[in-house]
Short mmCIF file of all heavy atoms in Angstrom, two decimals:
data_model
loop_
_atom_site.label_atom_id
_atom_site.label_comp_id
_atom_site.label_asym_id
_atom_site.label_seq_id
_atom_site.Cartn_x
_atom_site.Cartn_y
_atom_site.Cartn_z
N ILE A 151 -10.23 -116.56 -172.76
CA ILE A 151 -11.21 -117.55 -172.33
C ILE A 151 -12.55 -117.40 -172.95
O ILE A 151 -13.21 -118.33 -173.40
CB ILE A 151 -11.35 -117.51 -170.76
CG1 ILE A 151 -10.03 -117.93 -170.08
CG2 ILE A 151 -12.50 -118.32 -170.24
CD1 ILE A 151 -9.98 -117.69 -168.56
N ILE A 152 -13.00 -116.11 -172.97
CA ILE A 152 -14.34 -115.80 -173.61
C ILE A 152 -14.30 -116.15 -175.11
O ILE A 152 -15.29 -116.70 -175.66
CB ILE A 152 -14.73 -114.38 -173.40
CG1 ILE A 152 -14.89 -114.03 -171.84
CG2 ILE A 152 -15.97 -113.95 -174.16
CD1 ILE A 152 -14.99 -112.61 -171.49
N LYS A 153 -13.23 -115.74 -175.78
CA LYS A 153 -13.12 -115.99 -177.21
C LYS A 153 -13.18 -117.49 -177.55
O LYS A 153 -13.77 -117.89 -178.58
CB LYS A 153 -11.82 -115.37 -177.72
CG LYS A 153 -11.66 -115.57 -179.27
CD LYS A 153 -10.30 -114.98 -179.70
CE LYS A 153 -10.08 -115.25 -181.17
NZ LYS A 153 -8.78 -114.80 -181.70
N ASN A 154 -12.56 -118.32 -176.69
CA ASN A 154 -12.44 -119.72 -177.01
C ASN A 154 -13.42 -120.56 -176.17
O ASN A 154 -13.17 -121.77 -175.92
CB ASN A 154 -11.01 -120.24 -176.74
CG ASN A 154 -10.01 -119.58 -177.68
OD1 ASN A 154 -9.99 -119.93 -178.86
ND2 ASN A 154 -9.24 -118.61 -177.18
N ILE A 155 -14.53 -119.98 -175.75
CA ILE A 155 -15.48 -120.64 -174.89
C ILE A 155 -16.07 -121.97 -175.52
O ILE A 155 -16.48 -122.84 -174.84
CB ILE A 155 -16.61 -119.65 -174.48
CG1 ILE A 155 -17.29 -120.21 -173.22
CG2 ILE A 155 -17.60 -119.46 -175.65
CD1 ILE A 155 -18.25 -119.20 -172.58
N ALA A 156 -16.07 -121.95 -176.86
CA ALA A 156 -16.59 -123.09 -177.56
C ALA A 156 -15.45 -124.06 -178.02
O ALA A 156 -15.76 -124.98 -178.80
CB ALA A 156 -17.46 -122.69 -178.74
N ASP A 157 -14.26 -123.79 -177.62
CA ASP A 157 -13.11 -124.62 -178.07
C ASP A 157 -12.49 -125.27 -176.86
O ASP A 157 -11.59 -124.68 -176.23
CB ASP A 157 -12.08 -123.76 -178.82
CG ASP A 157 -10.96 -124.52 -179.46
OD1 ASP A 157 -10.85 -125.77 -179.12
OD2 ASP A 157 -10.19 -123.97 -180.22
N PRO A 158 -12.90 -126.46 -176.45
CA PRO A 158 -12.35 -127.12 -175.21
C PRO A 158 -10.87 -127.39 -175.28
O PRO A 158 -10.20 -127.29 -174.27
CB PRO A 158 -13.15 -128.47 -175.17
CG PRO A 158 -13.67 -128.64 -176.55
CD PRO A 158 -13.93 -127.30 -177.17
N ASN A 159 -10.35 -127.66 -176.47
CA ASN A 159 -8.92 -127.90 -176.64
C ASN A 159 -8.08 -126.66 -176.24
O ASN A 159 -7.08 -126.74 -175.53
CB ASN A 159 -8.60 -128.38 -178.04
CG ASN A 159 -7.12 -128.77 -178.20
OD1 ASN A 159 -6.68 -129.75 -177.57
ND2 ASN A 159 -6.40 -128.10 -179.02
N GLU A 160 -8.54 -125.51 -176.76
CA GLU A 160 -7.83 -124.27 -176.49
C GLU A 160 -7.95 -123.85 -175.03
O GLU A 160 -6.95 -123.36 -174.46
CB GLU A 160 -8.36 -123.16 -177.38
CG GLU A 160 -7.60 -121.82 -177.34
CD GLU A 160 -6.15 -121.92 -177.73
OE1 GLU A 160 -5.80 -122.89 -178.53
OE2 GLU A 160 -5.38 -121.05 -177.33
N LEU A 161 -9.10 -124.03 -174.43
CA LEU A 161 -9.28 -123.74 -173.01
C LEU A 161 -8.37 -124.61 -172.15
O LEU A 161 -7.77 -124.12 -171.21
CB LEU A 161 -10.78 -124.03 -172.60
CG LEU A 161 -11.80 -122.99 -173.07
CD1 LEU A 161 -13.15 -123.41 -172.63
CD2 LEU A 161 -11.48 -121.60 -172.49
N GLU A 162 -8.25 -125.83 -172.51
CA GLU A 162 -7.35 -126.77 -171.77
C GLU A 162 -5.88 -126.30 -171.92
O GLU A 162 -5.12 -126.33 -170.94
CB GLU A 162 -7.50 -128.22 -172.27
CG GLU A 162 -6.65 -129.23 -171.50
CD GLU A 162 -7.12 -129.48 -170.05
OE1 GLU A 162 -8.32 -129.17 -169.74
OE2 GLU A 162 -6.28 -129.81 -169.23
N ARG A 163 -5.52 -125.87 -173.09
CA ARG A 163 -4.16 -125.40 -173.34
C ARG A 163 -3.88 -124.15 -172.56
O ARG A 163 -2.79 -124.01 -171.93
CB ARG A 163 -3.99 -125.10 -174.89
CG ARG A 163 -2.51 -124.81 -175.20
CD ARG A 163 -2.42 -124.27 -176.66
NE ARG A 163 -3.07 -123.03 -176.89
CZ ARG A 163 -2.58 -121.90 -176.51
NH1 ARG A 163 -1.35 -121.81 -175.92
NH2 ARG A 163 -3.26 -120.72 -176.74
N LEU A 164 -4.84 -123.22 -172.48
CA LEU A 164 -4.66 -122.01 -171.71
C LEU A 164 -4.49 -122.34 -170.21
O LEU A 164 -3.65 -121.74 -169.52
CB LEU A 164 -5.85 -121.07 -171.88
CG LEU A 164 -6.00 -120.40 -173.25
CD1 LEU A 164 -7.41 -119.75 -173.32
CD2 LEU A 164 -4.90 -119.34 -173.42
N PHE A 165 -5.30 -123.30 -169.74
CA PHE A 165 -5.20 -123.67 -168.31
C PHE A 165 -3.86 -124.29 -167.98
O PHE A 165 -3.22 -123.98 -167.00
CB PHE A 165 -6.31 -124.71 -168.01
CG PHE A 165 -6.20 -125.33 -166.67
CD1 PHE A 165 -6.49 -124.55 -165.51
CD2 PHE A 165 -5.77 -126.59 -166.51
CE1 PHE A 165 -6.35 -125.15 -164.26
CE2 PHE A 165 -5.71 -127.19 -165.25
CZ PHE A 165 -5.97 -126.43 -164.15
N ARG A 166 -3.33 -125.17 -168.87
CA ARG A 166 -2.08 -125.84 -168.60
C ARG A 166 -0.87 -124.86 -168.76
O ARG A 166 0.15 -125.10 -168.09
CB ARG A 166 -1.88 -126.97 -169.60
CG ARG A 166 -2.88 -128.12 -169.34
CD ARG A 166 -2.58 -129.38 -170.11
NE ARG A 166 -3.51 -130.37 -169.88
CZ ARG A 166 -3.28 -131.67 -169.69
NH1 ARG A 166 -2.05 -132.05 -169.73
NH2 ARG A 166 -4.24 -132.54 -169.52
N GLU A 167 -1.01 -123.84 -169.55
CA GLU A 167 0.11 -122.87 -169.70
C GLU A 167 0.32 -122.11 -168.39
O GLU A 167 1.48 -121.91 -167.96
CB GLU A 167 -0.20 -121.89 -170.82
CG GLU A 167 0.14 -122.39 -172.16
CD GLU A 167 -0.12 -121.31 -173.26
OE1 GLU A 167 -0.61 -120.23 -172.90
OE2 GLU A 167 0.20 -121.59 -174.42
N ASP A 168 -0.77 -121.69 -167.71
CA ASP A 168 -0.63 -120.98 -166.46
C ASP A 168 -1.87 -121.17 -165.60
O ASP A 168 -2.81 -120.37 -165.74
CB ASP A 168 -0.37 -119.47 -166.74
CG ASP A 168 0.08 -118.74 -165.50
OD1 ASP A 168 -0.04 -119.28 -164.40
OD2 ASP A 168 0.60 -117.60 -165.64
N PRO A 169 -1.90 -122.25 -164.84
CA PRO A 169 -3.16 -122.56 -164.05
C PRO A 169 -3.60 -121.38 -163.13
O PRO A 169 -4.78 -121.14 -163.00
CB PRO A 169 -2.73 -123.80 -163.26
CG PRO A 169 -1.68 -124.43 -164.02
CD PRO A 169 -0.93 -123.29 -164.69
N LYS A 170 -2.62 -120.74 -162.44
CA LYS A 170 -2.91 -119.65 -161.51
C LYS A 170 -3.60 -118.48 -162.25
O LYS A 170 -4.64 -117.95 -161.80
CB LYS A 170 -1.73 -119.20 -160.78
CG LYS A 170 -1.20 -120.19 -159.77
CD LYS A 170 -0.08 -119.67 -158.96
CE LYS A 170 0.41 -120.65 -157.86
NZ LYS A 170 1.50 -120.11 -157.07
N ALA A 171 -2.97 -118.07 -163.35
CA ALA A 171 -3.54 -116.93 -164.14
C ALA A 171 -4.90 -117.29 -164.73
O ALA A 171 -5.83 -116.46 -164.74
CB ALA A 171 -2.55 -116.53 -165.23
N PHE A 172 -5.02 -118.53 -165.15
CA PHE A 172 -6.32 -118.97 -165.70
C PHE A 172 -7.43 -118.96 -164.65
O PHE A 172 -8.54 -118.42 -164.91
CB PHE A 172 -6.18 -120.38 -166.25
CG PHE A 172 -7.42 -120.94 -166.92
CD1 PHE A 172 -7.55 -120.81 -168.33
CD2 PHE A 172 -8.39 -121.57 -166.22
CE1 PHE A 172 -8.67 -121.34 -168.96
CE2 PHE A 172 -9.53 -122.06 -166.83
CZ PHE A 172 -9.65 -121.96 -168.22
N LYS A 173 -7.10 -119.42 -163.49
CA LYS A 173 -8.11 -119.43 -162.38
C LYS A 173 -8.54 -118.04 -161.99
O LYS A 173 -9.69 -117.73 -161.67
CB LYS A 173 -7.56 -120.21 -161.21
CG LYS A 173 -8.56 -120.60 -160.16
CD LYS A 173 -8.03 -121.57 -159.13
CE LYS A 173 -9.05 -122.02 -158.12
NZ LYS A 173 -8.51 -122.94 -157.17
N LYS A 174 -7.51 -117.13 -161.97
CA LYS A 174 -7.80 -115.75 -161.54
C LYS A 174 -8.69 -115.06 -162.61
O LYS A 174 -9.64 -114.33 -162.26
CB LYS A 174 -6.50 -115.00 -161.41
CG LYS A 174 -6.62 -113.62 -160.83
CD LYS A 174 -5.26 -113.00 -160.60
CE LYS A 174 -5.39 -111.55 -160.03
NZ LYS A 174 -4.09 -110.91 -159.84
N ALA A 175 -8.37 -115.27 -163.90
CA ALA A 175 -9.15 -114.60 -164.97
C ALA A 175 -10.49 -115.23 -165.17
O ALA A 175 -11.43 -114.63 -165.65
CB ALA A 175 -8.35 -114.65 -166.26
N PHE A 176 -10.60 -116.54 -164.73
CA PHE A 176 -11.86 -117.27 -165.01
C PHE A 176 -13.05 -116.65 -164.31
O PHE A 176 -14.16 -116.60 -164.89
CB PHE A 176 -11.65 -118.71 -164.55
CG PHE A 176 -12.91 -119.57 -164.67
CD1 PHE A 176 -13.22 -120.12 -165.90
CD2 PHE A 176 -13.72 -119.75 -163.62
CE1 PHE A 176 -14.36 -120.89 -166.06
CE2 PHE A 176 -14.91 -120.55 -163.72
CZ PHE A 176 -15.22 -121.12 -164.97
N SER A 177 -12.83 -116.14 -163.10
CA SER A 177 -13.98 -115.55 -162.40
C SER A 177 -14.56 -114.36 -163.11
O SER A 177 -15.78 -114.19 -163.16
CB SER A 177 -13.51 -115.14 -160.97
OG SER A 177 -12.41 -114.24 -161.04
N HIS A 178 -13.71 -113.54 -163.77
CA HIS A 178 -14.20 -112.46 -164.54
C HIS A 178 -14.92 -112.91 -165.76
O HIS A 178 -15.97 -112.38 -166.13
CB HIS A 178 -12.99 -111.52 -164.98
CG HIS A 178 -12.28 -110.94 -163.81
ND1 HIS A 178 -12.82 -110.05 -162.94
CD2 HIS A 178 -10.97 -111.15 -163.39
CE1 HIS A 178 -11.91 -109.71 -162.02
NE2 HIS A 178 -10.78 -110.40 -162.29
N ALA A 179 -14.42 -113.93 -166.41
CA ALA A 179 -15.11 -114.47 -167.57
C ALA A 179 -16.48 -115.07 -167.21
O ALA A 179 -17.45 -114.90 -167.98
CB ALA A 179 -14.29 -115.59 -168.23
N LEU A 180 -16.55 -115.69 -166.01
CA LEU A 180 -17.84 -116.28 -165.58
C LEU A 180 -18.82 -115.20 -165.24
O LEU A 180 -20.06 -115.36 -165.53
CB LEU A 180 -17.59 -117.19 -164.32
CG LEU A 180 -18.77 -117.98 -163.86
CD1 LEU A 180 -19.34 -118.92 -164.91
CD2 LEU A 180 -18.46 -118.72 -162.57
N GLU A 181 -18.40 -114.05 -164.68
CA GLU A 181 -19.30 -112.93 -164.40
C GLU A 181 -19.91 -112.37 -165.67
O GLU A 181 -21.11 -111.98 -165.67
CB GLU A 181 -18.52 -111.80 -163.68
CG GLU A 181 -18.19 -112.15 -162.22
CD GLU A 181 -17.33 -111.06 -161.58
OE1 GLU A 181 -17.08 -110.04 -162.24
OE2 GLU A 181 -16.88 -111.29 -160.44
#
């Protein structure tokens, strides 16, 4: 998530692959 913060297409792909895992990891990336 952090690596692709400037790549909206890749972020969307990561989210669609596993929404639960993305949401869980997102809080750490936001911190």
